[in-house]
Amino acid sequence: MNITPDDVFVTLSSRHTISPTAGQPELRVEFSLDPVTLDLKADPAVDLRYFPGQGEESNYYALTHGRFQIESVTRADEDTLSIVATVDGELSAQQTEEPVHNPADVLPLKARFDLRQVSNRGSIPLP
């Protein structure tokens, strides 16, 4: 999590192993919260991508149909949040940086994220 005067920018990354070996499958979610209300911001839009780990990072799946929703954000301390979020939708295969819906190659996704400790990595504290 990085905090600016306008955003609490959260990046989540998940892999099935702690091995540092490159090219492994990874799920990455990026979203912004309002620094005062801690509500999900529409701009920038949520970016959820799945990298299957079959070579280049340029081949990925993106959430192009469905919804990512914040259920709750709780301030644990001055630099730590607890976040519960859900996603329900489709990831579609991408060949370019700008995601577009690709109905010919989709993966269904339904998940719940229960993040008990999301820590600030920057030098600006939460308001």
Side-chain angles (χ1 to χ4, degrees):
M1 171 173 70
N2 284 312
I3 300 169
T4 68
D6 298 326
D7 285 301
V8 175
F9 187 72
V10 180
T11 301
L12 309 172
S13 179
S14 177
R15 295 172 22 162
H16 72 285
T17 179
I18 61 171
S19 171
T21 305
Q24 296 196 32
E26 177 183 8
L27 180 68
R28 191 178 309 153
V29 185
E30 297 178 347
F31 59 92
S32 289
L33 302 173
D34 181 280
V36 176
T37 66
L38 298 178
D39 291 333
L40 182 64
K41 292 180 71 174
D43 188 27
V46 172
D47 187 21
L48 190 151
R49 297 180 183 206
Y50 170 64
F51 300 90
Q54 301 170 352
E56 297 184 34
E57 193 172 278
S58 62
N59 297 325
Y60 67 97
Y61 288 79
L63 181 68
T64 55
H65 185 260
R67 181 176 176 159
F68 176 87
Q69 182 174 340
I70 299 290
E71 289 186 4
S72 68
V73 179
T74 306
R75 190 171 177 159
D77 63 36
E78 61 190 28
D79 270 344
T80 308
L81 299 176
S82 296
I83 302 172
V84 177
T86 58
V87 62
D88 189 358
E90 293 178 336
L91 302 172
S92 59
Q94 304 296 308
Q95 301 298 319
T96 63
E97 179 60 29
E98 194 63 37
V100 294
H101 189 59
N102 175 6
D105 190 357
V106 297
L107 299 174
L109 176 64
K110 186 170 187 167
R112 177 181 167 90
F113 304 93
D114 189 354
L115 308 163
R116 297 188 179 155
Q117 188 173 13
V118 181
S119 299
N120 183 11
R121 300 252 179 196
S123 59
I124 299 174
L126 285 166

